[in-house]
Coordinates of all heavy atoms in Angstrom, one line a residue:
M1 N 4.4 -31.0 -63.3 CA 5.2 -32.2 -63.4 C 6.6 -31.8 -62.9 O 7.2 -30.8 -63.3 CB 5.3 -32.6 -64.9 CG 6.3 -33.7 -65.1 SD 6.4 -34.5 -66.7 CE 5.5 -33.5 -67.8
R2 N 7.2 -32.6 -62.0 CA 8.5 -32.4 -61.5 C 9.5 -33.1 -62.4 O 9.1 -34.1 -63.1 CB 8.7 -33.0 -60.1 CG 7.8 -32.3 -59.1 CD 8.0 -33.0 -57.7 NE 7.6 -34.4 -57.7 CZ 8.4 -35.4 -57.7 NH1 9.7 -35.3 -57.6 NH2 7.9 -36.7 -57.7
N3 N 10.8 -32.7 -62.4 CA 11.8 -33.4 -63.2 C 13.1 -33.3 -62.6 O 13.3 -32.5 -61.7 CB 11.8 -33.0 -64.7 CG 12.3 -31.6 -64.8 OD1 13.5 -31.3 -64.6 ND2 11.4 -30.6 -65.0
D4 N 14.0 -34.2 -63.0 CA 15.4 -34.2 -62.5 C 16.4 -33.8 -63.5 O 17.6 -34.0 -63.4 CB 15.8 -35.7 -62.1 CG 14.9 -36.2 -61.0 OD1 14.4 -35.5 -60.1 OD2 14.6 -37.4 -61.0
V5 N 15.9 -32.9 -64.5 CA 16.8 -32.5 -65.5 C 18.0 -31.7 -64.9 O 19.1 -31.9 -65.3 CB 16.1 -31.7 -66.6 CG1 17.0 -31.1 -67.7 CG2 15.1 -32.6 -67.3
R6 N 17.7 -30.7 -64.1 CA 18.8 -29.9 -63.5 C 19.8 -30.7 -62.8 O 21.0 -30.6 -63.0 CB 18.2 -28.9 -62.5 CG 19.3 -27.9 -62.0 CD 18.6 -26.8 -61.2 NE 19.6 -25.7 -60.9 CZ 20.3 -25.7 -59.8 NH1 20.3 -26.7 -58.9 NH2 21.2 -24.7 -59.6
A7 N 19.4 -31.7 -61.9 CA 20.3 -32.5 -61.2 C 21.1 -33.3 -62.2 O 22.4 -33.5 -61.9 CB 19.5 -33.4 -60.2
L8 N 20.5 -33.9 -63.2 CA 21.2 -34.7 -64.1 C 22.3 -33.9 -64.9 O 23.4 -34.3 -65.1 CB 20.2 -35.5 -65.0 CG 19.4 -36.5 -64.4 CD1 18.3 -36.9 -65.3 CD2 20.2 -37.7 -64.1
R9 N 21.8 -32.7 -65.3 CA 22.7 -31.8 -66.0 C 23.9 -31.4 -65.2 O 25.0 -31.5 -65.7 CB 21.9 -30.6 -66.5 CG 22.7 -29.5 -67.2 CD 22.0 -28.3 -67.6 NE 21.4 -27.6 -66.5 CZ 22.0 -26.7 -65.7 NH1 23.3 -26.5 -65.8 NH2 21.4 -26.1 -64.7
L10 N 23.7 -31.0 -64.0 CA 24.8 -30.6 -63.1 C 25.7 -31.8 -62.8 O 26.9 -31.6 -62.8 CB 24.2 -30.1 -61.8 CG 23.5 -28.7 -61.9 CD1 22.9 -28.3 -60.5 CD2 24.5 -27.6 -62.4
A11 N 25.1 -33.0 -62.6 CA 26.0 -34.2 -62.4 C 26.9 -34.5 -63.6 O 27.9 -35.1 -63.5 CB 25.1 -35.4 -62.0
S12 N 26.4 -34.1 -64.7 CA 27.2 -34.3 -66.0 C 28.0 -33.1 -66.3 O 28.7 -33.1 -67.4 CB 26.2 -34.5 -67.2 OG 25.4 -35.7 -67.0
D13 N 28.1 -32.1 -65.4 CA 28.9 -31.0 -65.6 C 28.6 -30.2 -66.9 O 29.5 -29.8 -67.6 CB 30.4 -31.3 -65.5 CG 31.3 -30.1 -65.2 OD1 30.7 -29.1 -64.5 OD2 32.5 -30.1 -65.7
L14 N 27.4 -30.0 -67.2 CA 26.9 -29.3 -68.4 C 26.2 -28.0 -68.1 O 25.5 -27.9 -67.1 CB 25.9 -30.2 -69.2 CG 26.4 -31.5 -69.8 CD1 25.3 -32.3 -70.3 CD2 27.4 -31.2 -70.9
S15 N 26.4 -27.0 -68.9 CA 25.7 -25.8 -68.7 C 24.3 -26.0 -69.4 O 24.1 -26.9 -70.2 CB 26.4 -24.6 -69.4 OG 26.4 -24.8 -70.8
Q16 N 23.3 -25.1 -69.2 CA 22.1 -25.2 -69.8 C 22.3 -25.0 -71.3 O 21.6 -25.7 -72.1 CB 21.1 -24.1 -69.3 CG 20.6 -24.3 -67.9 CD 19.7 -23.3 -67.4 OE1 19.7 -22.2 -68.0 NE2 18.9 -23.6 -66.4
G17 N 23.2 -24.2 -71.7 CA 23.5 -24.0 -73.2 C 24.0 -25.2 -73.8 O 23.6 -25.6 -74.9
E18 N 24.9 -25.9 -73.1 CA 25.5 -27.1 -73.7 C 24.4 -28.3 -73.8 O 24.4 -28.9 -74.8 CB 26.7 -27.6 -72.8 CG 27.9 -26.7 -72.8 CD 28.9 -27.0 -71.7 OE1 28.5 -27.5 -70.6 OE2 30.1 -26.7 -72.0
L19 N 23.6 -28.3 -72.8 CA 22.5 -29.4 -72.9 C 21.6 -29.0 -74.0 O 21.1 -29.9 -74.8 CB 21.8 -29.5 -71.6 CG 20.6 -30.5 -71.5 CD1 21.1 -31.9 -72.0 CD2 20.0 -30.5 -70.2
G20 N 21.2 -27.7 -74.1 CA 20.3 -27.3 -75.2 C 20.9 -27.6 -76.5 O 20.2 -28.1 -77.4
E21 N 22.2 -27.4 -76.7 CA 22.8 -27.7 -78.0 C 22.8 -29.2 -78.3 O 22.5 -29.6 -79.4 CB 24.3 -27.2 -77.9 CG 25.0 -27.2 -79.2 CD 26.4 -26.6 -79.2 OE1 26.4 -25.5 -78.6 OE2 27.3 -27.2 -79.7
A22 N 23.0 -30.0 -77.3 CA 23.0 -31.4 -77.5 C 21.6 -31.9 -77.8 O 21.4 -32.9 -78.6 CB 23.5 -32.1 -76.2
L23 N 20.5 -31.2 -77.3 CA 19.2 -31.6 -77.6 C 18.5 -30.9 -78.7 O 17.3 -31.1 -79.0 CB 18.3 -31.4 -76.3 CG 18.7 -32.1 -75.1 CD1 17.9 -31.7 -73.8 CD2 18.6 -33.6 -75.3
S24 N 19.3 -29.9 -79.4 CA 18.8 -29.1 -80.4 C 17.6 -28.2 -80.0 O 16.6 -28.0 -80.7 CB 18.3 -29.9 -81.6 OG 19.4 -30.7 -82.1
V25 N 17.7 -27.7 -78.8 CA 16.7 -26.7 -78.2 C 17.6 -25.5 -77.6 O 18.8 -25.6 -77.5 CB 15.8 -27.3 -77.2 CG1 15.0 -28.4 -77.7 CG2 16.6 -27.7 -75.9
S26 N 16.9 -24.5 -77.3 CA 17.6 -23.3 -76.8 C 17.9 -23.5 -75.2 O 17.3 -24.3 -74.5 CB 16.7 -22.0 -76.9 OG 15.6 -22.1 -76.1
R27 N 18.8 -22.7 -74.8 CA 19.1 -22.6 -73.4 C 17.9 -22.3 -72.6 O 17.6 -22.8 -71.5 CB 20.3 -21.6 -73.0 CG 20.6 -21.5 -71.6 CD 21.3 -20.3 -71.2 NE 20.5 -19.0 -71.5 CZ 19.6 -18.6 -70.7 NH1 19.1 -19.3 -69.7 NH2 18.9 -17.5 -71.0
Q28 N 17.0 -21.4 -73.1 CA 15.8 -21.0 -72.5 C 14.9 -22.0 -72.3 O 14.1 -22.1 -71.3 CB 15.2 -19.7 -73.2 CG 16.0 -18.5 -73.2 CD 17.1 -18.4 -74.3 OE1 17.4 -19.3 -74.9 NE2 17.6 -17.2 -74.5
T29 N 14.8 -23.0 -73.3 CA 13.9 -24.1 -73.2 C 14.4 -25.0 -72.1 O 13.6 -25.5 -71.3 CB 13.9 -24.9 -74.6 OG1 13.3 -24.0 -75.6 CG2 13.1 -26.1 -74.5
V30 N 15.7 -25.3 -72.0 CA 16.2 -26.1 -70.9 C 15.9 -25.5 -69.6 O 15.4 -26.2 -68.7 CB 17.7 -26.3 -71.1 CG1 18.3 -27.0 -69.8 CG2 18.1 -27.1 -72.3
N31 N 16.1 -24.2 -69.4 CA 15.7 -23.5 -68.2 C 14.3 -23.6 -67.9 O 13.9 -23.9 -66.7 CB 16.1 -22.0 -68.3 CG 15.7 -21.2 -67.0 OD1 14.6 -20.7 -66.9 ND2 16.7 -21.2 -66.1
A32 N 13.4 -23.5 -68.9 CA 12.0 -23.6 -68.6 C 11.6 -25.0 -68.2 O 10.7 -25.2 -67.4 CB 11.2 -23.2 -69.9
I33 N 12.2 -26.0 -68.8 CA 11.9 -27.4 -68.4 C 12.4 -27.6 -66.9 O 11.6 -28.1 -66.1 CB 12.6 -28.4 -69.3 CG1 12.0 -28.4 -70.7 CG2 12.6 -29.8 -68.7 CD1 12.8 -29.1 -71.8
E34 N 13.6 -27.1 -66.6 CA 14.2 -27.3 -65.3 C 13.3 -26.7 -64.2 O 13.2 -27.2 -63.1 CB 15.6 -26.8 -65.2 CG 16.6 -27.6 -65.9 CD 18.0 -27.1 -65.8 OE1 18.2 -26.0 -65.2 OE2 18.9 -27.8 -66.3
T35 N 12.8 -25.5 -64.5 CA 12.0 -24.8 -63.5 C 10.5 -25.2 -63.5 O 9.7 -24.6 -62.7 CB 12.1 -23.2 -63.7 OG1 11.7 -22.9 -65.0 CG2 13.6 -22.8 -63.5
G36 N 10.1 -26.1 -64.4 CA 8.7 -26.5 -64.4 C 7.8 -25.6 -65.1 O 6.6 -25.8 -65.0
R37 N 8.3 -24.6 -65.8 CA 7.4 -23.6 -66.5 C 7.0 -24.2 -67.9 O 6.1 -23.7 -68.5 CB 8.1 -22.3 -66.7 CG 8.3 -21.5 -65.4 CD 8.9 -20.2 -65.6 NE 10.3 -20.3 -66.0 CZ 10.9 -19.9 -67.2 NH1 10.1 -19.4 -68.1 NH2 12.1 -20.1 -67.4
Y38 N 7.7 -25.2 -68.3 CA 7.4 -25.9 -69.6 C 7.5 -27.4 -69.5 O 8.5 -27.9 -69.0 CB 8.4 -25.3 -70.7 CG 8.3 -26.0 -72.0 CD1 7.2 -25.8 -72.8 CD2 9.3 -26.9 -72.4 CE1 7.2 -26.4 -74.1 CE2 9.2 -27.5 -73.7 CZ 8.1 -27.3 -74.5 OH 8.1 -27.9 -75.7
S39 N 6.4 -28.1 -69.9 CA 6.5 -29.5 -70.0 C 6.8 -29.9 -71.4 O 6.1 -29.5 -72.4 CB 5.1 -30.1 -69.6 OG 4.8 -29.9 -68.3
P40 N 7.9 -30.6 -71.6 CA 8.4 -30.9 -72.9 C 7.4 -31.9 -73.7 O 6.7 -32.6 -73.0 CB 9.7 -31.6 -72.7 CG 9.7 -32.2 -71.4 CD 8.8 -31.2 -70.6
S41 N 7.4 -31.8 -75.0 CA 6.7 -32.7 -75.8 C 7.2 -34.1 -75.5 O 8.3 -34.3 -75.0 CB 6.9 -32.4 -77.3 OG 8.2 -32.6 -77.6
L42 N 6.5 -35.2 -75.9 CA 6.9 -36.5 -75.6 C 8.2 -36.8 -76.4 O 9.1 -37.4 -75.8 CB 5.8 -37.5 -76.0 CG 6.1 -39.0 -75.8 CD1 6.5 -39.2 -74.3 CD2 5.0 -39.8 -76.2
P43 N 8.3 -36.4 -77.7 CA 9.6 -36.6 -78.3 C 10.8 -36.0 -77.6 O 11.9 -36.6 -77.5 CB 9.4 -36.0 -79.7 CG 7.9 -36.2 -80.0 CD 7.3 -35.9 -78.6
L44 N 10.6 -34.8 -77.1 CA 11.7 -34.1 -76.4 C 12.0 -34.8 -75.1 O 13.2 -34.9 -74.7 CB 11.4 -32.6 -76.3 CG 12.5 -31.8 -75.5 CD1 13.9 -31.9 -76.2 CD2 12.1 -30.3 -75.5
A45 N 11.0 -35.2 -74.4 CA 11.1 -35.8 -73.1 C 12.0 -37.2 -73.3 O 12.9 -37.5 -72.5 CB 9.8 -36.2 -72.5
I46 N 11.6 -37.9 -74.4 CA 12.4 -39.1 -74.7 C 13.8 -38.8 -75.0 O 14.8 -39.5 -74.6 CB 11.7 -39.8 -75.9 CG1 10.4 -40.4 -75.4 CG2 12.6 -40.9 -76.4 CD1 9.4 -40.9 -76.6
K47 N 14.0 -37.7 -75.8 CA 15.4 -37.3 -76.2 C 16.2 -36.9 -74.9 O 17.4 -37.3 -74.8 CB 15.3 -36.1 -77.1 CG 16.5 -35.8 -77.9 CD 16.2 -34.7 -78.9 CE 17.4 -34.5 -79.9 NZ 17.1 -33.5 -80.9
V48 N 15.6 -36.2 -73.9 CA 16.3 -35.9 -72.7 C 16.6 -37.1 -71.9 O 17.8 -37.3 -71.5 CB 15.3 -35.0 -71.8 CG1 15.9 -34.8 -70.5 CG2 15.2 -33.6 -72.5
A49 N 15.7 -38.0 -71.8 CA 15.9 -39.2 -71.0 C 17.0 -40.1 -71.7 O 17.9 -40.6 -71.0 CB 14.6 -40.1 -70.9
R50 N 17.0 -40.3 -73.0 CA 18.0 -41.0 -73.7 C 19.4 -40.4 -73.5 O 20.4 -41.1 -73.4 CB 17.7 -41.2 -75.1 CG 16.5 -42.2 -75.3 CD 16.3 -42.4 -76.8 NE 15.2 -43.4 -77.0 CZ 14.6 -43.6 -78.1 NH1 14.8 -42.8 -79.2 NH2 13.6 -44.5 -78.2
F51 N 19.4 -39.0 -73.5 CA 20.7 -38.3 -73.4 C 21.3 -38.7 -72.1 O 22.6 -38.9 -72.1 CB 20.5 -36.8 -73.5 CG 21.7 -36.0 -73.3 CD1 22.6 -35.8 -74.4 CD2 22.1 -35.5 -72.1 CE1 23.7 -35.1 -74.3 CE2 23.3 -34.8 -71.9 CZ 24.1 -34.6 -73.1
F52 N 20.6 -38.8 -71.1 CA 21.1 -39.2 -69.7 C 21.1 -40.7 -69.5 O 21.5 -41.1 -68.3 CB 20.3 -38.4 -68.7 CG 20.6 -36.9 -68.7 CD1 19.6 -36.0 -69.0 CD2 21.8 -36.4 -68.4 CE1 19.8 -34.7 -69.0 CE2 22.1 -35.1 -68.4 CZ 21.1 -34.2 -68.7
G53 N 20.7 -41.5 -70.4 CA 20.7 -43.0 -70.2 C 19.6 -43.4 -69.2 O 19.9 -44.4 -68.5
R54 N 18.5 -42.7 -69.1 CA 17.5 -43.0 -68.2 C 16.2 -43.2 -69.0 O 16.1 -42.9 -70.1 CB 17.2 -41.8 -67.2 CG 18.4 -41.4 -66.5 CD 18.9 -42.4 -65.4 NE 20.1 -42.0 -64.8 CZ 20.2 -41.4 -63.6 NH1 19.1 -41.1 -63.0 NH2 21.3 -41.1 -63.1
S55 N 15.2 -43.8 -68.3 CA 13.8 -43.9 -68.8 C 13.1 -42.5 -68.6 O 13.5 -41.7 -67.7 CB 13.1 -45.0 -68.2 OG 12.7 -44.6 -66.9
V56 N 12.1 -42.2 -69.4 CA 11.3 -41.0 -69.2 C 10.8 -40.9 -67.8 O 10.8 -39.9 -67.1 CB 10.2 -40.9 -70.2 CG1 9.3 -39.8 -70.0 CG2 10.7 -40.8 -71.7
E57 N 10.3 -42.0 -67.3 CA 9.7 -42.1 -65.9 C 10.8 -41.8 -64.8 O 10.4 -41.4 -63.7 CB 9.1 -43.5 -65.6 CG 7.9 -43.7 -66.5 CD 8.2 -44.3 -67.9 OE1 9.4 -44.5 -68.2 OE2 7.3 -44.6 -68.6
E58 N 12.1 -42.1 -65.1 CA 13.1 -41.7 -64.1 C 13.5 -40.3 -64.1 O 14.0 -39.8 -63.2 CB 14.4 -42.5 -64.5 CG 14.3 -44.0 -64.2 CD 15.5 -44.8 -64.6 OE1 15.9 -44.7 -65.8 OE2 16.2 -45.4 -63.7
V59 N 13.2 -39.6 -65.2 CA 13.5 -38.2 -65.3 C 12.4 -37.3 -65.0 O 12.5 -36.3 -64.3 CB 14.1 -37.9 -66.7 CG1 14.4 -36.4 -66.9 CG2 15.3 -38.7 -67.0
F60 N 11.2 -37.7 -65.5 CA 10.0 -36.8 -65.3 C 9.0 -37.5 -64.4 O 8.7 -38.7 -64.5 CB 9.3 -36.5 -66.7 CG 10.2 -35.8 -67.6 CD1 11.1 -36.4 -68.5 CD2 10.3 -34.4 -67.5 CE1 11.9 -35.7 -69.3 CE2 11.1 -33.7 -68.3 CZ 11.9 -34.3 -69.3
H61 N 8.5 -36.8 -63.5 CA 7.6 -37.3 -62.4 C 6.2 -36.6 -62.4 O 6.2 -35.4 -62.1 CB 8.3 -37.2 -61.0 CG 9.7 -37.6 -61.0 ND1 10.1 -39.0 -61.0 CD2 10.8 -36.9 -61.1 CE1 11.4 -39.0 -61.1 NE2 11.9 -37.8 -61.1
V62 N 5.2 -37.3 -62.6 CA 3.9 -36.7 -62.6 C 3.4 -36.5 -61.2 O 3.5 -37.4 -60.3 CB 2.8 -37.6 -63.4 CG1 1.5 -37.0 -63.3 CG2 3.2 -37.7 -64.8
D63 N 3.0 -35.2 -60.9 CA 2.5 -34.9 -59.5 C 1.0 -35.4 -59.5 O 0.2 -35.1 -60.3 CB 2.5 -33.5 -59.2 CG 4.0 -33.0 -59.1 OD1 4.8 -33.8 -58.5 OD2 4.2 -31.8 -59.4
D64 N 0.7 -36.2 -58.5 CA -0.7 -36.8 -58.3 C -1.5 -35.9 -57.3 O -2.2 -36.5 -56.5 CB -0.6 -38.2 -57.9 CG 0.0 -39.1 -58.9 OD1 -0.2 -38.9 -60.1 OD2 0.6 -40.2 -58.6
D65 N -1.4 -34.6 -57.5 CA -2.2 -33.7 -56.6 C -3.6 -33.6 -57.0 O -3.9 -33.6 -58.1 CB -1.5 -32.4 -56.5 CG -0.2 -32.4 -55.8 OD1 0.3 -33.5 -55.5 OD2 0.5 -31.3 -55.7

């Protein structure tokens, strides 16, 4: 699954640590989501999307391969 978390975070001038703190997750979790090594749970995906004022579908993109 692709996502726009990194682009949204950088556009908001936030570090991974700052975003993690805002979402109540670790900086390592933010990094893993951004690099595609971890697909967040639905509640966390919703929390990320709401943080950036977007829908889940605007932030996370399912690859149809």
Side-chain angles (χ1 to χ4, degrees):
M1 174 174 11
R2 296 178 299 106
N3 68 72
D4 297 330
V5 175
R6 183 173 192 272
L8 292 166
R9 176 180 61 78
L10 292 174
S12 297
D13 197 30
L14 294 169
S15 69
Q16 289 179 340
E18 290 168 331
L19 180 57
E21 190 172 313
L23 299 172
S24 300
V25 299
S26 69
R27 178 200 62 78
Q28 291 88 345
T29 298
V30 173
N31 179 271
I33 292 169
E34 288 182 357
T35 59
R37 290 183 290 116
Y38 174 70
S39 293
S41 64
L42 184 55
L44 180 53
I46 291 169
K47 197 171 188 179
V48 170
R50 286 184 178 162
F51 180 84
F52 291 113
R54 307 287 176 100
S55 70
V56 172
E57 294 85 356
E58 289 176 302
V59 178
F60 296 94
H61 315 283
V62 177
D63 291 327
D64 292 328
D65 293 2

